[in-house]
Amino acid sequence: MKYRRFGRTNWQVSEIGYGMWGMAGWTESDDAQSAKSLDLAVENGVNFFDTAWGYGEGHSEELLGQLVRRHPNKKIYTASKIPPKNFQWPAKPEYSFDDSYPTAHIIEYTEKTLKNLNLEQIDLMQFHTWDDGWSNREEWQRAIEDLKASGKIAAMGISVNRWEPTNGIIALKTGLIDSVQVIYNIFDQAPEDELFPLCEKMDIATIARVPFDEGTLTGNITKESTWPEGDWRGTYFVPENLIPSVEHADKLRPLIPEHMTMAEMALRFITMNKNVGTIIPGMRKERNVLANTATSDGQGISKELYNELRSHRWDRVPTSWSQ
């Protein structure tokens, strides 16, 4: 496992982190299986774990807290997210700041997270949604300062909306945000335009989420794919999204090197960008942990393949189903 400096925090975090959404809130989630996968990830060098209160109303946070206690001799960086008060994802311009992140709500859910983790401090707390219209409100700025001063959080970040990588730049310029979590993958390269250069200039850490484009970049989703009732993917992969997503992924198949999977190629593509602090694929099953962590070997992919994959950039805009 390779490690990277996590912005101004100076943490050395694993190049491959762990996204814990799949541990709660998706169908087929199983706590015993999750625990085995989490332990295997630690054994293979993963030290950054990202969760949220919104993943099973705190259940995923509880699993992370249990993981930390099972490995008392290893530094595990804990990251979670405060849900918006109106529990609406993603943020929209018409949602007011007071409906989303009033001070009392920020404090309340930070304390809920700490209780779920059974820890006195979380390394990284994040706003789970964001709209830059809120950026100049002093309330959230003071709340961050107070949470840091009280020792409840070590760092603060934001998770920006799908396909809106610039909707957070004003907040970053306040100097109070230590990290930004953004969708970045073979298709979603837009963060390179403005967000990553600003983060590099201000020494803000970046977390690359959705490295597999919710599954299409694993190569396992087809135009006939369906999901069980209640599974989030069933509402995301509506026909107008599923069909073009599969078609874009199919164009990558001829480029996959021998002895490599599409998923491995997708992760290695992201590792080529040194502006990325850590990548957080979901890894519910042990075989996925082994496959994903193995990509952090410093080898990346050839420059020729990297340049070819860059030509598959796919710029999209938020819609009613993009959530």
Side-chain angles (χ1 to χ4, degrees):
M1 178 65 67
K2 302 298 181 182
Y3 296 84
R4 299 187 178 197
R5 180 176 170 272
F6 197 70
R8 64 173 72 112
T9 68
N10 280 321
W11 303 339
Q12 290 295 313
V13 302
S14 51
E15 191 172 63
I16 302 298
Y18 202 120
M20 294 181 62
W21 185 14
M23 313 253 130
W26 290 40
T27 56
E28 302 172 6
S29 296
D30 176 84
D31 285 357
Q33 179 189 70
S34 296
K36 289 180 180 179
S37 296
L38 290 164
D39 286 336
L40 185 61
V42 173
E43 292 167 14
N44 281 270
V46 176
N47 70 356
F48 185 90
F49 293 80
D50 178 84
T51 185
W53 182 90
Y55 303 164
E57 297 186 353
H59 183 60
S60 182
E61 293 177 330
E62 292 172 351
L63 295 176
L64 178 53
Q66 293 165 15
L67 176 72
V68 171
R69 286 186 291 283
R70 289 199 300 274
H71 299 273
N73 297 321
K74 293 187 177 180
K75 174 55 186 175
I76 292 175
Y77 289 99
T78 54
S80 193
K81 309 179 198 76
I82 302 166
K85 185 179 179 181
N86 60 9
F87 298 101
Q88 296 295 314
W89 283 266
K92 294 181 180 180
E94 58 264 33
Y95 297 162
S96 74
F97 172 80
D98 293 317
D99 288 336
S100 303
Y101 293 105
T103 299
H105 178 78
I106 293 172
I107 302 301
E108 176 187 358
Y109 274 81
T110 297
E111 292 176 348
K112 282 179 182 285
T113 290
L114 292 173
K115 182 177 180 180
N116 290 333
L117 293 170
N118 195 19
L119 294 173
E120 294 184 359
Q121 182 185 72
I122 185 170
D123 294 301
L124 177 66
M125 184 53 88
Q126 303 157 93
F127 292 109
H128 204 159
T129 64
W130 192 257
D131 185 86
D132 252 350
W134 308 329
S135 296
N136 294 322
R137 293 290 293 259
E138 292 184 3
E139 295 95 326
W140 69 265
Q141 299 177 20
R142 289 199 204 98
I144 290 174
E145 293 171 342
D146 290 346
L147 288 170
K148 287 184 176 180
S150 65
K152 292 180 179 179
I153 70 172
M156 190 73 192
I158 59 174
S159 179
V160 296
N161 299 342
R162 184 184 301 273
W163 304 332
E164 295 183 62
T166 61
N167 188 3
I169 282 181
I170 298 174
L172 299 185
K173 288 180 177 178
T174 66
L176 296 171
I177 301 297
D178 303 298
S179 73
V180 61
Q181 184 172 148
V182 63
I183 291 179
Y184 181 64
N185 54 52
I186 292 172
F187 296 152
D188 296 297
Q189 300 176 39
E192 296 177 9
D193 299 345
E194 297 180 52
L195 181 62
F196 286 172
L198 177 66
C199 289
E200 183 175 23
K201 178 181 178 181
M202 297 188 66
D203 203 15
I204 296 169
T206 62
I207 303 167
R209 66 184 179 98
V210 196
F212 302 131
D213 191 46
E214 306 297 5
T216 52
L217 285 171
T218 65
N220 296 326
I221 292 180
T222 71
K223 294 179 181 179
E224 291 74 40
S225 291
T226 59
W227 289 269
E229 183 71 26
D231 191 301
W232 173 84
R233 290 167 292 182
T235 61
Y236 175 73
F237 283 114
V238 293
E240 58 264 43
N241 183 28
L242 177 64
I243 293 172
S245 293
V246 172
E247 289 175 347
H248 275 266
D250 283 346
K251 292 178 182 178
L252 298 175
R253 294 188 189 278
L255 304 177
I256 303 173
E258 190 176 1
H259 307 305
M260 190 180 291
T261 64
M262 186 184 293
E264 179 182 349
M265 182 174 73
L267 284 180
R268 288 183 178 276
F269 172 84
I270 302 172
T271 66
M272 297 286 284
N273 191 320
K274 300 309 176 185
N275 282 325
V276 174
T278 187
I279 310 165
I280 52 170
M283 304 186 277
R284 283 187 295 173
K285 298 178 181 178
E286 293 172 80
R287 67 171 183 268
N288 300 131
V289 173
L290 294 174
N292 293 343
T293 55
T295 64
S296 180
D297 56 9
Q299 299 302 308
I301 52 178
S302 70
K303 192 66 175 178
E304 293 74 19
L305 175 57
Y306 179 68
N307 288 334
E308 179 64 30
L309 291 175
R310 287 183 59 78
S311 72
H312 287 261
R313 173 171 169 162
W314 180 18
D315 289 328
R316 291 168 277 186
V317 296
T319 69
S320 59
W321 47 260
S322 59
Q323 304 171 54

